[in-house]
Amino acid sequence: MSELRLGSGEDFISSAEIAERTSALADYYTDLYRGEDLVILTVLKGAARFGLNLGTMIRNPKTVEDFVRMKSMEGTTQHEPVYLIEPEENIKGRNVLVVEDIDDSRTTLSKLMPRLRDQGPARLDLVSLLDKPTVEKVVEDLPCDDIEYGFKIADRFVVGHGLDWNGLHRGLAHISVAHNVSIEDGEEYWVPLVPEEPSRITSNSDSGFMASV
Ligand code: IMP
Ligand code: MG
């Protein structure tokens, strides 16, 4: 018998840590776009919470919020990303901050960012709540001026604060690691999803905070 369960409570990235990091990133973007216009382009659905919170905290009176939606995952399996909702704003000549939930294999971003770059924004910046730096990326570089991450995490399947597993658990305020739990002879065995090495990341902390499990 085997089932999917979450890691316990606030053990991975707590809601307080997320709020603190979001506020620090908002300060950074307040400075970066001071006196200029800004289009915050949030990638639905996963980045919705993070993007709206950032939009609330970035102090810039010339901010417009827009959304884009790609579809790329079923369960824990990747598929070729498809544009489901296109941005409404004309971004030509404007400063654009793309807000993503996670930079995993980078499949989604490798399709989205060049499309946006082709539309001629003045600046194209990217902020992703999470990065999995040990995952092999489909492209090494993304066409943008600046990339920031909230947290760099080990290669684990995580849920919460917008991230889902088959549509579930987006509403968690914190981020949890999804575990597969099997029961043998009444004993529970908890194995984190995506069990590859390493379980703990200790380097690569140049941008964003580190979280380990
Ligand atoms: P990509 O592999 O970087 O293209 O990631 C594509 C999308 O898959 C992300 O924007 C997420 O929506 C989803 N995804 C990737 N890793 C996780 C995870 O650990 N938990 C939940 N969703 C994930
Ligand atoms: Mg996403």
Side-chain angles (χ1 to χ4, degrees):
M1 196 174 110
S2 170
E3 62 182 81
L4 186 82
R5 288 203 208 160
L6 305 183
S8 55
E10 297 264 326
D11 60 356
F12 196 53
I13 306 176
S14 72
S15 57
E17 285 174 292
I18 297 169
E20 195 183 320
R21 184 69 183 128
T22 306
S23 164
L25 286 166
D27 289 347
Y28 174 78
Y29 292 116
T30 297
D31 286 344
L32 187 65
Y33 305 115
R34 195 177 298 282
E36 308 215 5
D37 72 349
L38 170 63
V39 179
I40 298 179
L41 186 59
T42 297
V43 184
L44 298 175
K45 297 179 187 177
R49 267 178 191 72
F50 178 50
L52 292 174
N53 287 339
L54 261 185
T56 305
M57 292 180 182
I58 294 173
R59 294 174 303 282
N60 182 326
K62 294 192 219 164
T63 299
V64 168
E65 292 180 62
D66 199 1
F67 301 91
V68 62
R69 185 163 176 210
M70 319 281 287
K71 186 160 179 73
S72 63
M73 261 209 164
E74 252 170 54
T76 56
T77 313
Q78 289 279 358
H79 294 274
E80 181 72 3
V82 186
Y83 238 157
L84 285 181
I85 298 173
E86 293 197 33
E88 246 174 39
E89 294 294 322
N90 179 356
I91 60 171
K92 191 170 169 52
R94 299 165 83 184
N95 298 309
V96 178
L97 175 62
V98 176
V99 185
E100 243 299 25
D101 54 0
I102 191 162
D103 182 353
D104 186 16
S105 69
R106 210 170 253 179
T107 311
T108 314
L109 289 168
S110 73
K111 303 285 174 192
L112 176 62
M113 299 305 283
R115 279 186 223 191
L116 296 173
R117 183 51 111 195
D118 284 351
Q119 291 168 40
R123 275 190 74 96
L124 182 61
D125 300 317
L126 170 67
V127 59
S128 178
L129 177 61
L130 301 176
D131 179 30
K132 294 182 185 172
T134 61
V135 172
E136 191 176 340
K137 312 287 182 185
V138 295
V139 290
E140 204 171 307
D141 294 312
L142 290 168
C144 56
D145 299 290
D146 180 60
I147 304 183
E148 302 296 327
Y149 294 108
F151 302 88
K152 290 172 184 271
I153 64 168
D155 187 8
R156 296 286 178 260
F157 194 82
V158 292
V159 294
H161 208 80
L163 289 132
D164 72 306
W165 176 75
N166 278 349
L168 299 173
H169 313 304
R170 289 191 199 277
L172 290 173
H174 62 278
I175 292 172
S176 221
V177 178
H179 286 74
N180 199 51
V181 181
S182 56
I183 301 174
E184 278 170 39
D185 300 331
E187 290 283 321
E188 284 192 355
Y189 295 93
W190 286 53
V191 181
L193 283 188
V194 192
E196 273 131 60
E197 308 247 341
S199 60
R200 186 173 283 269
I201 297 173
T202 51
S203 60
N204 223 343
S205 58
D206 50 316
S207 168
F209 295 170
M210 303 301 290
S212 52
V213 62

